[in-house]
Amino acid sequence: MTHPDLTAHIERGLRDLADLVAIPSVSAQGRHLPDAARAVQTLLEAEGFTVREYPGQVAPILLAEAGEGPFTLLIYNHYDVQPEDPAELWDTPPFALTERDGRLYGRGASDDKGELVSRLAGLRALKEQRGGQLPLKVKWLIEGEEEVGSPSLEAFIAGHAAELKADGVWWEFGSITPEGRPVLYAGLKGIICVELRCRVAASDLHSSNGAVVDNPLWRLAAAVASLRGPDGTVLIPGFHDDVRPASQADLDAIAALPGTGEALRGTYDVTRTLGDGSEYHTRLNLKPVVNVNGFHGGYEGQGSKTVLPAEGMVKLDFRLVPDQHPDRIVELLRAHLDQQGFNDIEIVELESHQHPARSDLNHPFVNTAVQVARDVHGHDPILNPSSGGSGPMHPFMQHVGAPVIALGIGNIGGRVHAPNENILRRDFDNGVRYAAALLAALADGSMEK
C-alpha cells in the first residue's frame, strides 16, 4: 500500500513534542500543569479546535472539538508526566527531547506527550489532504491528572456524557514490537491501591523485647503471605466470584498472540517468572493479581540496629478484571484479614481506584483500527483483549457507550515512568501515518465489518 509523504508533518510534530517535553508538568508534585494545558490548547486551536477548559482537582481538563462528518471519534490523552527522579540516572536532561541512536529521550516522550503530538500531526496531514477540512468530527479529552489516578475524570465524564458522545474512542497509549508489529489493546485491568498498617507500641523498642512483644513487620509479612499462592493466584475468599468469563473472541485473540514473554524477560533481565510461560498472555489479559509495591518499617540504614519497630507498612495494588468492583475487593480483603487473625492491621485506600474495562473484539471500530494498523505498519497487528495495566477506561464505556481501542507509539524498552524514557523515531513517524490513515478510514465510512 502506497502512503503519502508526511515528512513535513512529522518534523513539525517533533518540534511540538520538544516544546511539550520541555514543560515539566509533574502532576504528583503540582508542577507546571497550567503551563502544559495552555501549550496543548494553543496547539489544538491552531488546527481549528474549539477548546473549553474545566477545573480539575489537580490540573485543568481540556475538551476540544473540530470537524464534521458521519463518524465521531473521541480521543483521550493526558499532558501530565511522572516525576523525573532519580534525575542522576538520566543520560540526558529529562526535560529536553534528545535524539540518540534512533531513539527520542525525555520525560513524556512516550507517556503521553509523544502519543498526543503524533495524533495531532496525523490530523494535520489529513486536513492538508482534504483541502483544509477535517472530514469527521473529532472530540479530544485531555487531562493533567492521569499519573495521579485521574481523580476528576470519572465525575467529569459522567457530567459531560452528552458532549462526549462518540462512535469510538481512541485510547492514550499502545506499543510497537521490536520487529515493527503494532500492539493494540481493547481493554484495561482495574486497580485499587492500599496500605496495610500495623502498630504494636508507642515507640520503637530494644530488640531484646522481641521475646515478649510482637513485631509489626512479622505480622505484616504473615498477612501478605496469606494473600497469594506460589503461582500468583489470589487466595482471598470470594475474590474471583465476580470475574466475567472471557468471550470466545477474547480466547481466540489470546491464542493468536505470539511468544511467551521473551521480550519482557530479555529487556529487564527477569530471573523469576510465574508459570512456565505457556499462560503468559492469558495471565496478562485475564488474570487478576495482587502486587507488593513496598515493605517499610524499622531500621533501613547501613549496618545493623537492633530495634523492634513500633509500626510498619506495606503498599499493595490489586489489578482487576471485569466485573470485579474495587470497593468489593477492599471489603473482601478486610474480611480475610479478620478471619486470619489480623484484625489489628489497618487498611488505607490510596489515590483513586479504577474499574476494569474490555471492549467487544468483534466491533467494526475495533476491526478498522486493526486493519489500518496492518496497512500502515506492514505487519500483522497483535490484538490484546486487555492490557495488563490500568487506567480510567471504564467511565468512557459506561457513560459514552462506545468501544475503546488503544494503539500508540510505545516500545518494550521505552522505560516509561523510569529514567531515560524514550520512543523510537521510527515508531513516531509511523504513529503520525497511522493517525492520518485511521482518521481517513473513519471519515470515509470504510470501517471493517
Side-chain angles (χ1 to χ4, degrees):
M1 182 177 180
T2 302
H3 299 285
D5 184 3
L6 304 187
T7 301
H9 295 287
I10 291 169
E11 293 298 329
R12 181 176 175 185
L14 290 172
R15 293 194 296 273
D16 292 340
L17 180 56
D19 291 342
L20 288 185
V21 167
I23 303 173
S25 48
V26 180
S27 51
Q29 300 166 350
R31 294 161 57 190
H32 295 277
L33 298 170
D35 296 337
R38 282 192 295 270
V40 171
Q41 181 171 347
T42 298
L43 289 173
L44 292 173
E45 289 177 340
E47 300 309 318
F49 280 87
T50 299
V51 184
R52 286 167 288 167
E53 179 182 312
Y54 298 88
Q57 296 180 38
V58 178
I61 299 171
L62 303 178
L63 180 55
E65 185 173 314
E68 197 60 55
F71 191 93
T72 298
L73 176 67
L74 175 60
I75 306 177
Y76 166 67
N77 286 103
H78 63 92
Y79 59 79
D80 63 317
V81 299
Q82 285 279 327
E84 69 275 25
D85 304 317
E88 66 273 11
L89 296 184
W90 286 80
D91 295 329
T92 52
F95 296 108
L97 188 68
T98 305
E99 186 166 1
R100 188 172 71 252
D101 298 327
R103 291 180 182 266
L104 297 160
Y105 292 85
R107 177 59 88 224
S110 178
D111 184 17
D112 184 51
K113 294 172 179 179
E115 302 282 10
L116 191 164
V117 166
S118 65
R119 297 172 182 190
L120 182 60
L123 183 145
R124 285 195 195 108
L126 178 63
K127 285 178 61 181
E128 181 182 71
Q129 296 163 13
R130 301 300 175 92
Q133 301 300 311
L134 184 59
L136 76 165
K137 185 178 289 295
V138 174
K139 299 178 181 180
W140 214 321
L141 179 58
I142 306 172
E143 64 157 325
E145 304 178 352
E146 195 273 345
E147 300 294 4
V148 290
S150 300
S152 307
L153 192 62
E154 183 167 5
F156 180 86
I157 294 171
H160 295 81
E163 301 161 68
L164 294 168
K165 182 175 174 56
D167 301 305
V169 181
W170 187 6
W171 199 248
E172 52 103 357
F173 71 82
S175 63
I176 311 297
T177 71
E179 300 77 28
R181 295 184 67 182
V183 183
L184 297 88
Y185 301 92
L188 292 175
K189 287 184 176 178
I191 187 170
I192 179 77
C193 298
V194 301
E195 286 180 358
L196 303 185
R197 299 175 181 175
C198 183
R199 174 179 284 275
V200 301
S203 70
D204 291 352
L205 295 87
H206 191 286
S207 66
S208 63
N209 291 296
V212 292
V213 177
D214 204 349
N215 188 308
L217 302 186
W218 280 115
R219 293 193 60 73
L220 288 168
V224 168
S226 75
L227 301 181
R228 198 197 81 166
D231 67 345
T233 300
V234 179
L235 301 179
I236 299 171
F239 181 84
H240 300 276
D241 288 355
D242 296 328
V243 171
R244 181 196 306 171
S247 69
Q248 189 59 50
D250 294 335
L251 296 176
D252 291 344
I254 289 171
L257 295 174
T260 58
E262 297 89 348
L264 177 71
R265 296 193 296 273
T267 299
Y268 294 98
D269 295 329
V270 174
T271 59
R272 287 187 60 84
T273 62
L274 292 171
D276 60 5
S278 63
E279 294 186 335
Y280 175 79
H281 294 296
T282 301
R283 287 172 173 270
L284 276 182
N285 281 268
L286 304 179
K287 188 179 181 68
V289 297
V290 59
N291 298 295
V292 179
N293 307 135
F295 207 120
H296 307 284
Y299 179 64
E300 299 179 1
Q302 184 176 358
S304 66
K305 181 181 181 183
T306 52
V307 64
L308 193 161
E311 60 182 336
M313 176 267 288
V314 179
K315 291 182 181 288
L316 307 174
D317 77 65
F318 290 86
R319 301 283 176 160
L320 311 177
V321 300
D323 292 302
Q324 292 179 302
H325 194 291
D327 292 343
R328 176 62 176 156
I329 296 305
V330 175
E331 293 173 0
L332 293 171
L333 174 62
R334 178 73 273 164
H336 169 74
L337 291 176
D338 291 349
Q339 193 277 330
Q340 295 290 316
F342 299 116
N343 56 318
D344 59 318
I345 293 180
E346 181 185 9
I347 300 173
V348 179
E349 293 186 45
L350 304 175
E351 299 171 345
S352 298
H353 61 248
Q354 304 288 352
H355 291 258
R358 194 182 301 156
S359 295
D360 177 6
L361 297 189
N362 291 321
H363 194 282
F365 173 67
V366 175
N367 292 335
T368 297
V370 172
Q371 182 57 52
V372 173
R374 179 178 291 109
D375 293 341
V376 170
H377 290 271
H379 295 278
D380 283 334
I382 299 170
L383 176 60
N384 291 270
S386 176
S387 166
S390 305
M393 186 180 285
H394 180 266
F396 288 88
M397 292 186 179
Q398 179 182 13
H399 299 294
V400 179
V404 183
I405 193 70
L407 185 139
I409 59 174
N411 68 91
I412 189 67
R415 305 200 177 277
V416 171
H417 293 194
N420 298 312
E421 177 182 347
N422 69 85
I423 53 175
L424 285 162
R425 169 62 192 267
R426 172 203 71 182
D427 294 341
F428 182 87
D429 295 0
N430 283 329
V432 175
R433 297 185 181 100
Y434 180 81
L438 177 63
L439 294 173
L442 298 175
D444 295 340
S446 54
M447 292 217 308
E448 293 290 319
K449 303 300 183 184

